[in-house]
Amino acid sequence: MSENIDQYLKSEYSAGWITDIESLTIPPGLNEDVIRLISAKKQEPEWMLEWRLKAYRAWLEMKEPEWAHVVYPKPDFQALSYYSSPKSMEDGPQSLDEVDPELLRTYEKLGIPVHEQEVLAGVAVDMVFDSVSVGTTFRQKLKDAGVIFCPISEAVHEYPELVKKYLGSVVPQKDNFYAALNSAVFSDGSFVYIPKGVRCPMELSTYFRINEAKTGQFERTLIIADEGSQVSYLEGCTAPMRDENQLHAAVVELVALDDADIKYSTVQNWYPGDAQGKGGIYNFVTKRGIAHNRSKISWTQVETGSAVTWKYPSCILKGDDSIGEFYSVALTSNYQQADTGTKMIHLGKNTRSTIIAKGISAKQSSNSYRGLVKMNPGAEGARNYTQCDSLLIGDKCGAHTFPYIESKNPTAVIEHEATTSKVSDDQLFLCQQRGIDAEKAVSMIVNGFCKDVFRELPMEFAVEAGKLLEVSLEGAVG
Amino acid sequence: MLNINDLHARVEDTAILHGLNLEVKPGEVHAIMGPNGAGKSTLGNVLAGRPGYEVTGGSVTYKGNDLLELEAEERARAGVFLAFQYPVEIPGVSNMEFLKASVDAIRTARGDDVMSSMDFIKLAREKCKAVDLPQDFLKRGVNEGFSGGEKKRNELLQMMLLEPSLCILDETDSGLDIDALQVVARGVNALRSPDRGIIVVTHYQRLLDYIVPDYVHVLAKGRIVKSGGRELALELEKHGYSWIDEEVA
């Protein structure tokens, strides 16, 4: 009967096309000259180049992590190109009116509001194409509110003090193998600064698109919410369908100063590879936030794409009474592998964290939750609640849970709940007996399973996430 | 409306039905009784098209068409309803969402318009009252944490909303106390109509005090071995099923 389930699991990847555009791509290979070249292309100041080189030298000494529950051929770092930009973007950032229409069409086709006058455009968007940001909407409106939202390459020039102070402050250059690589070669990404006491007037979002073949995308995002400020940020990602694997190694750093509130949502839909497991993105990402007194950082992620995912959006709860949240839905199908979860590091008094992780595995895929909850000696009265649920569709997939708990403070309270369930033939039959076809039934059951997480997404995204699951599960049961 | 002719069926490798015959006309209520393991539940599941139940011989005609040709959801859309003996839970999917999806699918198949959410909510609340289920059950996950009696009333609620042509109640009385039994019986009686056929599968005659059948059939060893009126059920109660076993032997 599980074969019946399988026949409904054919997934169609709708973002798999290529934009036909002339690009300038530097030759494959990585050495100090390549890093100097990237830095020169961005006309970076000397300090930025030194920062990159320091990361590169550290990276040379590091080993690729092998502890994750994933199996894949190691990327050949000398065979990748580390910088690719549409030719029309060669002269640096332009105003939206001057951006190559072909590039804007790429984003329009993906359903991203690129024109400020669009009705649904209650969201400001930074569009990152391969290694460069091609445009950012609503910059003026945001500027009027004192909010800075720009490509990070621009922030290096315009706001060097902020960048110097915070870049690498949450994820240091030597943090891990991929973070070090990213620190050496990062090309673009978004920079956000919300001034004291400001509630960001609109949702901010960055849409990442890999287009060029044989390149890696190494974006870097830095969000600083100053005291008492508030921001909600969304990120989306897609890439063309290709037979060879491509590497995406990003770093995201969040800084929530006293009483600030950052909500960071991701819908990750990188190309997952085909039904035979060929191609797809390697998504090796380091995301971390630091929460100061009474501040709050909330991560919500819906992960449906990528061939291999290695990603642990984390919170360092440094300040007293700070709050960390992690809501995750990770869906794997075909031969996808995901090893994802979070780290909640409680340093301050009365810090609180919540982890709700939902893993859905179908076909031959492997889906692992890996999470660390750590209560340091100073974490008086800290609390954590973790709930990890796995849903299996069919009988060839795997779900794994690796929770790590370390408590060095006797007053800290840690709760952990975990469940594993299957979309059962009985559930499907109940639906069918009531006239609902199996495909709709599976999508209903899976959406029900994810409800606790979808609730956390901004409204426009919740609808998109539901649809995305439906597409990823298209054809999934019987 | 329903014509079962020499039906043979098995579940996995075990043959369960061995030449079952039954005819149900519109407006009739048939009770199927029999000892455990006689094939009572198998009959309902075969008619509803549950995966794993394989028909190895015979035919079933429903409203003039070959029922066995249809997929499970097509049978449901054609008006065949099975009230489950053990309704499963679907966590996180609200009863309301499930009921709406179900009613939408069946109305669409019939060529009726899909009801607006407002109209549907109104109707669902009304039917909740009829089966004595508090309205907040509509917001809860399908059967999630429901007691045995609540699950059965929820089945009845679905039956009332879908208005099927052929209702099969698979041991709906099992595990019910007398009050719940009366609620269920009242609901089923309300659904009796000249154009609807009802098959009540039960182990005990008790339910038939409240749902009075037109015909009673005794199912033993995969076949209908005796048919009669209401009085047959009373006789069974008096003498037990061993009496049938002797007679069949």
Side-chain angles (χ1 to χ4, degrees):
Chain A
M1 265 168 276
S2 53
E3 274 165 31
N4 288 336
I5 292 181
D6 267 8
Q7 88 191 31
Y8 286 89
L9 274 174
K10 62 166 199 302
S11 94
E12 295 289 343
Y13 186 73
S14 63
W17 38 271
I18 297 170
T19 305
D20 187 11
I21 200 162
E22 212 180 330
S23 286
L24 289 175
T25 304
I26 64 172
L30 182 58
N31 52 49
E32 293 203 3
D33 288 342
V34 168
I35 293 164
R36 287 175 203 282
L37 180 62
I38 294 171
S39 188
K41 275 188 176 291
K42 299 197 171 287
Q43 298 159 6
E44 285 176 352
E46 189 60 25
W47 61 266
M48 193 68 249
L49 175 63
E50 283 308 317
W51 196 87
R52 290 174 178 276
L53 289 171
K54 194 175 148 204
Y56 176 68
R57 288 166 197 151
W59 178 73
L60 287 175
E61 306 293 317
M62 297 170 91
K63 281 210 163 58
E64 229 179 313
E66 289 182 340
W67 41 262
H69 191 75
V70 291
V71 181
Y72 60 95
K74 296 272 178 285
D76 177 355
F77 294 99
Q78 295 304 331
L80 285 177
S81 167
Y82 289 84
Y83 189 88
S84 177
S85 137
K87 201 169 177 190
S88 59
M89 297 301 296
E90 218 10 38
D91 302 326
Q94 301 158 338
S95 82
L96 268 181
D97 304 337
E98 296 159 352
V99 173
D100 181 349
E102 189 59 28
L103 283 172
L104 290 182
R105 263 196 293 279
T106 300
Y107 290 90
E108 277 174 346
K109 207 166 152 185
L110 292 164
I112 313 300
V114 298
H115 297 294
E116 300 188 350
Q117 63 272 27
E118 275 171 37
V119 187
L120 261 177
V123 181
V125 188
D126 184 15
M127 292 162 267
V128 176
F129 191 89
D130 289 330
S131 304
V132 293
S133 168
V134 299
T136 310
T137 61
F138 290 109
R139 289 176 64 166
Q140 194 52 48
K141 182 173 174 188
L142 290 166
K143 213 171 179 177
D144 293 346
V147 172
I148 302 169
F149 181 42
C150 69
I152 199 159
S153 52
E154 202 181 312
V156 169
H157 294 285
E158 305 288 325
Y159 313 100
E161 293 317 310
L162 285 172
V163 176
K164 264 190 213 170
K165 184 170 177 189
Y166 291 108
L167 189 71
S169 70
V170 191
V171 180
Q173 287 132 299
K174 295 179 198 173
D175 188 77
N176 67 68
F177 183 83
Y178 292 109
L181 178 64
N182 174 285
S183 300
V185 302
F186 79 87
S187 38
D188 230 329
S190 300
F191 175 82
V192 176
Y193 174 77
I194 316 288
K196 268 184 201 173
V198 169
R199 187 191 183 112
C200 189
M202 59 203 308
E203 302 264 354
L204 304 182
S205 100
T206 304
Y207 199 91
F208 296 98
R209 176 77 176 167
I210 296 179
N211 190 60
E212 193 64 20
K214 299 190 175 65
T215 59
Q217 191 178 53
F218 303 92
E219 95 254 6
R220 184 115 195 166
T221 295
L222 176 58
I223 299 178
I224 304 148
D226 213 328
E227 290 172 19
S229 68
Q230 228 178 5
V231 63
S232 170
Y233 177 93
L234 331 166
E235 130 194 281
C237 3
T238 58
M241 289 154 82
R242 289 210 174 87
D243 285 348
E244 72 271 14
N245 297 105
Q246 280 183 282
L247 178 63
H248 172 256
V251 172
V252 174
E253 296 178 277
L254 310 183
V255 179
L257 296 176
D258 290 356
D259 303 293
D261 186 333
I262 302 178
K263 184 175 176 64
Y264 192 106
S265 313
T266 303
V267 172
Q268 186 265 106
N269 186 25
W270 293 117
Y271 176 53
D274 68 10
Q276 279 70 47
K278 200 168 183 191
I281 302 289
Y282 290 163
N283 190 35
F284 301 149
V285 170
T286 306
K287 291 183 167 175
R288 195 177 301 151
I290 188 160
H292 291 266
N293 292 322
R294 299 169 304 277
S295 70
K296 177 176 167 187
I297 290 178
S298 182
W299 298 100
T300 304
Q301 60 171 18
V302 176
E303 303 275 317
T304 62
S306 297
V308 181
T309 297
W310 179 95
K311 180 182 171 190
Y312 316 91
S314 302
C315 298
I316 300 170
L317 302 172
K318 186 179 176 206
D320 293 348
D321 303 294
S322 59
I323 297 172
E325 294 175 339
F326 175 74
Y327 299 98
S328 169
V329 166
L331 180 141
T332 54
S333 187
N334 293 325
Y335 287 89
Q336 281 177 276
Q337 305 174 66
D339 193 300
T340 184
T342 184
K343 288 190 273 188
M344 292 291 174
I345 314 291
H346 292 251
L347 305 179
K349 290 191 191 78
N350 301 317
T351 45
R352 278 173 290 154
S353 64
T354 304
I355 299 171
I356 308 281
K358 305 272 181 179
I360 302 147
S361 343
K363 295 205 172 169
Q364 296 86 353
S365 68
S366 164
N367 201 326
S368 304
Y369 167 79
R370 188 181 302 275
L372 168 68
V373 176
K374 189 170 178 178
M375 302 295 187
N376 272 44
E380 280 290 308
R383 289 205 311 268
N384 161 265
Y385 173 74
T386 299
Q387 188 187 330
C388 271
D389 299 320
S390 304
L391 183 69
L392 302 171
I393 305 175
D395 55 9
K396 294 185 197 74
C397 52
H400 314 272
T401 306
F402 303 100
Y404 305 87
I405 294 172
E406 289 174 33
S407 183
K408 291 180 181 146
N409 187 308
T411 66
V413 179
I414 300 172
E415 284 178 80
H416 182 98
E417 284 181 29
T419 66
T420 300
S421 54
K422 284 187 77 164
V423 173
S424 73
D425 293 331
D426 288 348
Q427 288 173 330
L428 285 178
F429 181 59
L430 168 61
C431 295
Q432 287 173 287
Q433 217 303 304
R434 300 301 184 249
I436 302 164
D437 63 59
E439 210 164 290
K440 163 92 183 151
V442 167
S443 119
M444 208 162 71
I445 293 167
V446 169
N447 269 293
F449 176 75
C450 299
K451 198 168 272 177
D452 298 346
V453 174
F454 286 174
R455 233 197 317 258
E456 298 298 325
L457 286 171
M459 185 120 89
E460 308 83 0
F461 252 29
V463 175
E464 195 186 319
K467 277 192 205 144
L468 197 56
L469 280 195
E470 222 158 282
V471 172
S472 300
L473 283 167
E474 208 153 81
V477 217
Chain B
M1 139 180 303
L2 181 73
N3 221 314
I4 304 176
N5 189 21
D6 194 29
L7 186 65
H8 289 69
R10 66 179 181 201
V11 182
E12 278 158 19
D13 292 331
T14 315
I16 305 218
L17 298 183
H18 305 278
L20 186 142
N21 294 294
L22 180 69
E23 194 190 350
V24 178
K25 294 202 179 83
E28 294 176 350
V29 176
H30 290 246
I32 305 224
M33 302 185 68
N36 289 326
K40 300 193 300 288
S41 286
T42 300
L43 176 62
N45 283 317
V46 166
L47 293 178
R50 189 179 202 124
Y53 288 74
E54 191 192 347
V55 173
T56 51
S59 66
V60 179
T61 313
Y62 169 72
K63 291 185 177 173
N65 299 311
D66 183 355
L67 183 70
L68 304 177
E69 278 290 295
L70 302 179
E71 297 291 332
E73 64 265 32
E74 292 168 337
R75 298 182 197 193
R77 292 170 191 171
V80 176
F81 183 97
L82 174 66
F84 290 92
Q85 183 177 4
Y86 304 110
V88 293
E89 301 189 358
I90 310 182
V93 177
S94 79
N95 224 359
M96 185 65 97
E97 184 188 356
F98 174 76
L99 293 170
K100 178 86 165 68
S102 170
V103 170
D104 284 354
I106 283 175
R107 288 183 69 97
T108 305
R110 277 189 208 148
D112 293 343
D113 289 340
V114 166
M115 289 174 85
S116 74
S117 296
M118 288 307 285
D119 287 348
F120 183 76
I121 291 170
K122 223 172 118 194
L123 180 71
R125 285 184 177 159
E126 202 177 287
K127 299 291 183 195
C128 261
K129 218 173 274 171
V131 297
D132 207 15
L133 267 185
Q135 285 180 9
D136 64 295
F137 276 71
L138 293 170
K139 290 185 200 146
R140 287 170 57 178
V142 177
N143 294 321
E144 201 179 351
F146 288 21
S147 72
E150 287 161 353
K151 283 183 183 173
K152 297 296 172 71
R153 274 182 276 162
N154 200 30
E155 292 290 289
L156 196 62
L157 172 67
Q158 293 163 41
M159 195 156 91
M160 290 184 146
L161 283 168
L162 296 177
E163 302 182 325
S165 307
L166 177 66
C167 307
I168 307 159
L169 290 94
D170 187 8
E171 307 215 18
T172 298
D173 51 332
S174 69
L176 292 190
D177 62 29
I178 197 75
D179 293 333
L181 191 73
Q182 285 178 350
V183 171
V184 168
R186 202 163 58 225
V188 174
N189 286 329
L191 278 168
R192 287 180 92 142
S193 95
D195 47 13
R196 179 171 291 133
I198 298 176
I199 299 175
V200 181
V201 176
T202 180
H203 188 79
Y204 301 104
Q205 125 40 62
R206 183 177 73 146
L207 177 65
L208 306 182
D209 288 340
Y210 304 99
I211 304 172
V212 179
D214 300 304
Y215 301 94
V216 174
H217 309 275
V218 181
L219 180 62
K221 296 183 179 157
R223 285 186 300 133
I224 303 268
V225 294
K226 204 170 176 65
S227 296
R230 167 91 182 90
E231 68 289 346
L232 180 57
L234 297 167
E235 219 167 312
L236 282 170
E237 190 182 39
K238 210 186 271 172
H239 302 293
Y241 288 110
S242 55
W243 159 69
I244 293 291
D245 282 345
E246 280 161 32
E247 204 160 277
V248 174

